[in-house]
Amino acid sequence: MSRLTKTHVSPGAPGSGTFRRTLGLRAVAVTAALPLMLTACGGTDDGVAEDGSWAPTQAIEITAPAATGGGWDTLARTSARLLEEEGLVDHSPQVVNKPGAGGAIGWGYIANNAGDPHKLFVTSPPILLVPMAGDSDHDHNDFTPIARLATDYMVYLVAADSDIETFAGLAEQVESGDLSVGGGSGPGSMDHVALAGALQAAGADATQANYIPFDGGGEALTSLLGGHVDAAVVGVGEALGMLESGDLRAVGVSSAERVDAVAEVPTLVEQDVDFTFDIWRGVMGPADLTEEQVAYHETLFADLMETEAWKEESARLGWTDAYQGSEEFGVFLDDTRGEFAEILTEVGLQ
Amino acid sequence: MGMLDQLLYGFSIALTPENLLYVFIGVLAGTIIGILPGLGPMSAIALMIPIAYGMDPTSAIIMLAGVYYGAIFGGSTSSILLNAPGVAGTVATSFDGYPMALKGQAGKALAIAAVSSFVGGTIGVVGLMAIAPSLASFAVSFGPTEYFALMVLGLTAVVSLGGRNLTKGLISAVVGVIVALVGIDSQTAITRFTFDRPELYEGVEFLIVALGVFALAEVLVMLNRRGKGGVRKAVTSLRLSRGELARITPPTLRSSVLGFFTGVLPGAGATVASFLAYSMEKKIARDGKSFGQGNLKGVAAPEAANNAAAVGSFVPLMTLGVPGSGTTAILLGALMVLGVQPGPTMLTDNPGMFWGVVASMYLGTVVLLVLNLPLIPVFAKVLNTPRTMLLPLVVVFCVVGVYGLSFSVFDLGLLAAFGAIGFLMRRNDFPAAPLILGLILGGLMETNMRRALQISGGEWSVFVTEPISAGLLVLAVLSLLPSLVRVVRRRPAAGTPAEVSAPVDGSEERTPTPRG
């Protein structure tokens, strides 16, 4: 449904999921009761200890500003489950889905709960791109960065029998205007920015690119398979199956160093195209949190990422750990926004 | 007989007591959730995802697949009994199913739905088994150009769904297309008709419109009649005579095949399939005029098609890793969380899962039939519920269904608005079906047309130079010809005594269609 939000769900290696997990029915009860359990916080106990540190007095609620089954939902549910299983929290965290408007509905919900330290949400590049497109009443400045957790990358694909061998070759043909490039999200959103930025870095005129937006990376890939478009840009996770089967060929990946899952694909940087693009994922909270509250959550997620279970899960989902604490994450968000703005201005979308 | 071996291997997986239980749980849960108006396969699967998280991946997908086709089947029950389709794919079922229920043939309509769903599902599974790997190339042969042509063909169904007055049908369809335009345009990221409401950025959810113009409007109509009229007759038996079975067999078989292939296309799915099947059968049938008034074939065709399509949509999911519909997209998400990457390599990397799922689908359709035939009389009793109880319940289910989708109060307002629109349409003889058709196909048609033109550099000729697209467009023109000829022929004759005395509804003669 969401047109702006890309729900990048990255898989693990095929066949690696045969182990069983024993989560049981608790998660069911939690989800089933979601809408009913949005109890107001407050009360007399504000969770501040004598030494001034803070700890939650009730269950932390993690909002996925999208429907179940997407990338944000996966992140929210995975972290909630591991936080509980690893015994890092006293109350089982609850996952709340607030789908709509590419995330803006969920962000609105969090914004309305400013100062509530028990309400976090999962986030990724759309928190910058959707507001830049003017489609959200709130942008990343309205929230408190907690931590950046993991990242995934973009991959640039052509058909297996294409005569294009390198990203430079792709850029050259795209610039000539007779090559169409499919992506899984609307103009001005992730896939388009990842394409335009890379073209620009390769010295091509990104405004000449014939970018065709599809509803999701999968659709873009089928169109490429069927020869309806000539190239595609999607998340690594989405393309994994078709790269493995040899139906499609990658001419570049947007990471700084090669990605394990697609180790044979050269990075753009290796090809002298100075561009990287991260599909980072992180956690943010509402505005007006105290230093102590931020510190608590920051440590909580840092601890989570130290656990074996997290490492196992994130490897399976194809994520690369990319932890940043609150302050660092905030700076990163500002920088990235600037970078995006530059690219969008360049292609005439801002 | 490599395939047979593999299928047996699949059955050996699906027939373990544990997995058999999951098939049963999935189908049962799906049916129950699907029966509730407003809750469709998407909500059903979303509700079951948390349960699936803790399970073995093969068992999980077996259960979720059961939920999927169980919900599609359950949806037909509320379409027939309450005119409240909970699933887009069963909207077409209500066109003849609900009139049948009004005539006291609810049992029969449900039985037809069960049987033709079974046939559709079975043919779909056989297709999935036999030709899934080779179908991948068929699925990718459809690009934006071809989808545009397919949607045009689908929209020609307006002529057959439009009821007595073609003009009103067309107006209704255009309104549907306009509603489909609401939201952020996926091609330019510009908001259209959103009135600065973020709730409208992703467009108007199909289900809200369907529940509004069908279920709520029906409630309002009944209220307006002060509870008089409508279903009063006792529910007849569900037994089908041999003659009736013979009548629905050819449409069921045709629709199953059509449905399967439509389902295989990632951009089409069960809803498009059911509409295509319905309008195809209406055109083929000699008694096509009685479609919409409780024709058995009008129930059999969309039911066979939507179940076959539900199975067909597993082809792109499992062979390409591309979801063919919103529901399979959710399923894909669930699979990935379970550590399974469906895609071209799944058949070789994970044959146990592929064949296990295929075998479980076969079991699932059987379970569905066995489970539902004895339950039909129970379901049909719903109609004996006193009006004073039933109407509020329908409203409650609509509200819960819509709210459960987005937790948005705004959507409830939309539901009420579409209920009012539906009521006014009913009062003024505007058919609701074309509106739904326009809503479903209009958006897809527009997006794909613009994509195709963007790829071709603005060259309109692509639609006729691409063979598949040209073929579909020719079909569309052909399917419009009879109606056009009729309109053109009638025009000079209008007003002659012979024409007036023709046994047609009088109101139509007083308002001749202004254009061809």
Side-chain angles (χ1 to χ4, degrees):
Chain A
M1 283 282 95
S2 83
R3 290 171 185 167
L4 277 178
T5 328
K6 282 217 33 162
T7 46
H8 282 286
V9 185
S10 319
S16 68
T18 40
F19 68 92
R20 304 191 53 171
R21 274 173 282 136
T22 50
L23 174 57
L25 290 169
R26 200 167 340 173
V28 183
V30 168
T31 328
L34 286 183
L36 307 172
M37 296 179 73
L38 311 178
T39 44
C41 85
T44 46
D45 187 359
D46 57 3
V48 180
E50 278 172 21
D51 61 357
S53 72
W54 179 88
T57 54
Q58 63 185 73
I60 298 171
E61 183 188 288
I62 304 177
T63 297
T68 51
W72 278 337
D73 184 54
T74 307
L75 177 59
R77 280 178 199 280
T78 307
S79 358
R81 184 166 57 77
L82 294 181
L83 281 175
E84 185 191 350
E85 278 178 6
E86 297 297 313
L88 296 169
V89 285
D90 293 337
H91 312 271
S92 327
Q94 297 164 24
V95 174
V96 177
N97 293 91
K98 294 271 175 201
I105 302 285
W107 300 329
Y109 165 74
I110 296 291
N112 286 337
N113 283 284
D116 182 344
H118 295 102
K119 286 194 167 38
L120 305 180
F121 69 101
V122 291
T123 185
S124 65
I127 185 74
L128 303 174
L129 290 164
V130 173
M132 287 166 82
D135 297 328
S136 167
D137 295 339
H138 308 278
D139 67 12
H140 74 283
N141 291 317
D142 296 322
F143 305 106
T144 312
I146 303 287
R148 189 179 78 172
L149 304 179
T151 177
D152 186 10
Y153 303 97
M154 286 287 180
V155 63
Y156 305 84
L157 301 151
V158 293
D161 57 3
S162 162
D163 55 359
I164 298 173
E165 297 290 339
T166 59
F167 187 79
L170 180 74
E172 199 180 301
Q173 294 213 28
V174 167
E175 196 180 17
S176 72
D178 42 46
L179 205 69
S180 51
V181 187
S185 55
S189 58
M190 273 205 299
D191 296 9
H192 190 195
V193 170
L195 174 69
L199 287 175
Q200 211 178 306
D205 180 359
T207 55
Q208 293 303 312
N210 191 8
Y211 175 78
I212 318 288
F214 286 88
D215 298 330
E219 260 189 49
L221 290 178
T222 19
S223 260
L224 175 56
L225 267 184
H228 308 288
V229 292
D230 307 302
V233 49
V234 300
V236 170
E238 291 171 302
L240 221 48
M242 295 201 195
L243 282 175
E244 242 165 67
S245 70
D247 290 319
L248 298 177
R249 194 154 47 79
V251 295
V253 59
S254 71
S255 53
E257 278 156 32
R258 289 201 181 196
V259 179
D260 285 344
V262 284
E264 71 287 354
V265 180
T267 63
L268 295 183
V269 182
E270 266 176 67
Q271 306 179 50
D272 292 324
V273 176
D274 186 21
F275 180 76
T276 57
F277 189 93
D278 284 27
I279 310 168
W280 41 269
R281 294 144 209 279
V283 180
M284 295 178 92
D288 307 331
L289 297 191
T290 66
E291 234 169 82
E292 291 77 20
Q293 288 164 343
V294 172
Y296 170 85
H297 288 305
E298 217 177 12
T299 321
L300 181 67
F301 281 94
D303 289 347
L304 172 69
M305 290 181 65
E306 287 302 308
T307 63
E308 276 309 308
W310 170 271
K311 295 199 168 108
E312 211 173 291
E313 285 292 301
S314 72
R316 210 167 52 70
L317 292 162
W319 296 339
T320 312
D321 278 0
Y323 181 82
Q324 282 183 335
S326 173
E327 203 167 313
E328 211 184 335
F329 187 28
V331 174
F332 169 80
L333 286 172
D334 292 336
D335 289 352
T336 313
R337 189 194 155 101
E339 207 179 296
F340 286 172
E342 221 170 276
I343 295 171
L344 288 175
T345 314
E346 198 77 25
V347 293
L349 275 163
Q350 252 215 342
Chain B
M1 288 314 287
M3 193 184 87
L4 208 62
D5 287 346
Q6 282 169 314
L7 186 65
L8 285 178
Y9 171 52
F11 271 110
S12 74
I13 293 167
L15 279 172
T16 58
E18 196 190 351
N19 285 337
L20 215 50
L21 180 70
Y22 284 130
V23 171
F24 186 78
I25 293 178
V27 169
L28 183 67
T31 310
I32 293 172
I33 298 173
I35 284 176
L36 302 177
L39 297 182
M42 258 173 148
S43 343
I45 291 180
L47 279 172
M48 298 297 272
I49 282 181
I51 301 179
Y53 273 162
M55 288 168 47
D56 167 73
T58 305
S59 304
I61 184 176
I62 285 176
M63 184 185 77
L64 291 176
V67 171
Y68 182 24
Y69 43 79
I72 291 200
F73 178 80
S76 65
T77 308
S78 51
S79 287
I80 291 171
L81 293 179
L82 304 172
N83 204 22
V87 188
T90 62
V91 170
T93 311
S94 68
F95 298 160
D96 280 281
Y98 187 63
M100 278 185 78
L102 289 179
K103 285 198 263 175
Q105 297 176 336
K108 203 171 269 182
L110 289 171
I112 291 174
V115 171
S116 43
S117 293
F118 173 75
V119 175
T122 308
I123 290 180
V125 174
V126 172
L128 181 61
M129 221 157 59
I131 45 176
S134 47
L135 275 179
S137 60
F138 169 70
V140 301
S141 69
F142 269 64
T145 322
E146 288 77 12
Y147 279 119
F148 166 74
L150 182 69
M151 299 310 155
V152 170
L153 176 62
L155 270 177
T156 60
V158 168
V159 175
S160 45
L161 295 175
R164 291 189 295 264
N165 190 325
L166 187 60
T167 313
K168 285 185 174 176
L170 287 172
I171 291 174
S172 174
V174 169
V175 171
V177 174
I178 292 174
V179 174
L181 298 184
V182 173
I184 296 172
D185 171 33
S186 66
Q187 302 302 295
T188 55
I190 284 166
T191 55
R192 301 190 291 190
F193 306 115
T194 56
F195 308 102
D196 287 332
R197 303 287 316 209
E199 292 92 342
L200 285 175
Y201 283 180
E202 282 181 15
V204 177
E205 183 63 44
F206 159 81
L207 194 68
I208 299 172
V209 184
L211 287 177
V213 298
F214 284 109
L216 268 193
E218 181 71 23
V219 168
L220 291 174
V221 166
M222 285 192 194
L223 281 180
N224 196 46
R225 284 200 215 116
R226 306 203 172 252
K228 291 194 195 78
V231 192
R232 273 293 157 198
K233 288 173 195 150
V235 177
T236 55
S237 81
L238 55 122
R239 201 156 296 157
L240 296 170
S241 71
R242 200 166 287 220
E244 285 168 332
L245 275 179
R247 277 178 62 207
I248 62 165
T249 303
T252 303
L253 294 179
R254 274 193 299 264
S255 302
S256 301
V257 175
L258 175 72
F260 178 71
F261 283 99
T262 315
V264 166
L265 300 174
T271 314
V272 177
S274 63
F275 276 105
L276 282 178
Y278 184 87
S279 72
M280 174 180 82
E281 286 309 324
K282 179 167 177 167
K283 281 189 191 106
I284 292 178
R286 248 176 276 151
D287 53 350
K289 276 219 159 59
S290 68
F291 268 60
Q293 294 155 26
N295 192 313
L296 308 179
K297 296 178 195 165
V299 177
E303 275 305 295
N306 67 27
N307 276 270
V311 178
S313 66
F314 277 80
V315 172
L317 181 67
M318 298 214 288
T319 59
L320 296 170
V322 171
S325 61
T327 316
T328 39
I330 290 191
L331 211 52
L332 179 68
L335 283 180
M336 286 177 154
V337 170
L338 290 163
V340 180
Q341 164 70 18
T345 50
M346 182 169 170
L347 251 173
T348 40
D349 289 352
N350 218 334
M353 169 167 295
F354 182 86
W355 292 104
V357 170
V358 170
S360 81
M361 282 183 166
Y362 194 76
L363 293 177
T365 47
V366 177
V367 171
L368 205 54
L369 190 70
V370 173
L371 187 73
N372 282 293
L373 279 181
L375 285 179
I376 285 173
V378 182
F379 290 149
K381 285 232 168 61
V382 166
L383 294 177
N384 295 342
T385 316
R387 277 291 153 70
T388 42
M389 298 278 293
L390 188 61
L391 296 189
L393 269 180
V394 172
V395 176
V396 167
F397 279 131
C398 290
V399 168
V400 169
V402 167
Y403 190 71
L405 209 64
S406 57
F407 304 121
S408 153
V409 179
F410 181 84
D411 283 354
L412 293 181
L414 275 184
L415 173 70
F418 278 105
I421 291 173
F423 175 69
L424 292 175
M425 286 172 62
R426 286 278 293 270
R427 289 300 301 270
N428 295 291
D429 228 10
F430 282 89
L435 187 148
I436 296 292
L437 192 72
L439 175 63
I440 294 173
L441 302 184
L444 288 170
M445 182 178 80
E446 192 227 0
T447 311
N448 281 304
M449 183 189 89
R450 290 169 58 196
R451 255 180 218 149
L453 287 175
Q454 204 185 333
I455 293 172
S456 74
E459 202 55 67
W460 286 84
S461 62
V462 284
F463 296 115
V464 287
T465 52
E466 296 283 334
I468 299 178
S469 154
L472 289 169
L473 289 176
V474 168
L475 266 183
V477 173
L478 285 181
S479 75
L480 283 178
L481 266 185
S483 319
L484 289 179
V485 169
R486 217 177 304 141
V487 170
V488 172
R489 263 211 207 136
R490 193 186 291 165
R491 189 171 283 165
T496 65
E499 195 66 24
V500 171
S501 64
V504 202
D505 184 277
S507 63
E508 191 204 357
E509 289 304 315
R510 283 196 301 275
T511 50
T513 47
R515 54 195 166 119

